[in-house]
Amino acid sequence: DFPWEIELAGEIPPATETLREVIVDAAGGEGVFTTLQAAMSDVVASDACARIIVREGHYGETVTIRFPVEIVADGEVTIESNEGAPIVSHKQNAILRGLTLVSGQDEEGDTMQGVYHEGFHLKLERCTIRSARCGVYAHTKNAFLVMEKCTIESAANSGVLLEDGAHASIVDTTIRKTGFAGILAKGDGELSIESSRIEDTKNSGLAVSEGVWLE
C-alpha cells in the first residue's frame, strides 16, 4: 500500500514501443532477406533493435550477432554451419527462440561449437542444439547465458562449457549424449540449474571447478 493517495489509472497510456520486424525466408520473396546474416547486417546498418522473423527452412550459415536483436523461428528452422558456430554472439544482447542449431567440422577437420557466446546477455529459449564440439560455449566474466526449455541432443565435447568467469542460468533444459561432461564450469563464474535433466554422458553429468558459485 502506498502511504499516500494516488490514482494509478490515468488517461496517459504506457509506452508500447514495438520492435521493427525483419523477415528472412530461404525461398526469397519481395521485401525479405534470404539469409539471417544479411538480415543482421540490415539491423546493424539501421542502428535500431529489431526482431528477425525466420520462416521455415534450412539455412547454411554462421550468424554473427553484432547488435541487440531477437531472432524468432516461424516454423521449423535449422541453422547449420561447418565453417563456424551457427550462432556467434560478440558482446551483444540477444534472444533466440525456437531454433535448431547444428554445427559440424570444416574441410580441415576442425570442429565447431553450436553457440559461441563472448559476452553480455544471451537467452536461448526452446532451442535444439547438435554440435560437433560443445553445444554452448560461453567465456569471459561479461558473458551471461540463459537457457530455458532447450535441448542439447548431442555434443562431441561438453553440452555447456563455461570458462573465464562466465555466468549461466539453465532452466527446464535437457542435455543428453555428450562426449564429455553435460555441463562443465571453470573459473570464477556463477551457475544456476533448475528443473533440468542431464543424461547419457561419457563423463560427469555436472563438473564444477573451485571458485564457481553453484545454485
Side-chain angles (χ1 to χ4, degrees):
D1 294 335
F2 290 105
W4 59 84
E5 293 184 4
I6 183 171
E7 179 60 47
L8 297 180
E11 296 180 356
I12 302 176
T16 56
E17 182 179 354
T18 58
L19 291 174
R20 180 175 72 97
E21 292 191 348
V22 178
I23 306 298
V24 176
D25 192 332
E30 184 177 356
V32 305
F33 294 93
T34 56
T35 68
L36 282 88
Q37 193 55 48
M40 190 70 238
S41 297
D42 178 76
V43 171
V44 173
S46 67
D47 195 30
C49 299
R51 176 181 292 113
I52 299 177
I53 307 295
V54 189
R55 291 177 179 164
E56 186 167 334
H58 184 279
Y59 299 83
E61 58 180 308
T62 291
V63 183
T64 303
I65 299 173
R66 298 188 181 276
F67 201 84
V69 71
E70 179 181 359
I71 303 176
V72 181
D74 180 12
E76 295 185 7
V77 173
T78 298
I79 305 173
E80 183 172 4
S81 179
N82 295 329
E83 300 302 321
I87 296 294
V88 177
S89 178
H90 279 305
K91 298 181 180 179
Q92 291 296 339
N93 300 324
I95 300 174
L96 278 59
R97 291 192 170 99
L99 304 172
T100 295
L101 308 173
V102 181
S103 72
Q105 62 183 34
D106 63 16
E107 294 180 353
E108 298 179 355
D110 293 329
T111 55
M112 304 297 153
Q113 318 280 7
V115 175
Y116 180 91
H117 180 40
E118 189 177 26
F120 297 1
H121 294 265
L122 175 64
K123 181 177 182 180
L124 305 175
E125 182 178 323
R126 295 179 288 103
C127 291
T128 299
I129 301 169
R130 298 189 293 272
S131 174
R133 200 167 180 178
C134 293
V136 180
Y137 173 54
H139 74 102
T140 78
K141 64 181 180 180
N142 295 319
F144 295 84
L145 169 71
V146 175
M147 296 182 66
E148 184 174 336
K149 298 180 180 178
C150 292
T151 301
I152 296 178
E153 294 182 340
S154 63
N157 203 298
S158 296
V160 176
L161 174 58
L162 309 173
E163 289 187 324
D164 304 323
H167 311 264
S169 175
I170 299 174
V171 181
D172 197 14
T173 287
T174 298
I175 300 172
R176 63 168 67 97
K177 294 183 179 179
T178 64
F180 193 64
I183 300 174
L184 174 59
K186 301 187 291 183
D188 298 323
E190 298 178 343
L191 173 61
S192 172
I193 305 173
E194 179 182 347
S195 303
S196 295
R197 183 181 184 88
I198 302 173
E199 59 188 20
D200 196 13
T201 65
K202 291 188 177 180
N203 200 282
S204 304
L206 174 64
V208 180
S209 70
E210 183 178 358
V212 175
W213 180 270
L214 177 63
E215 181 180 359

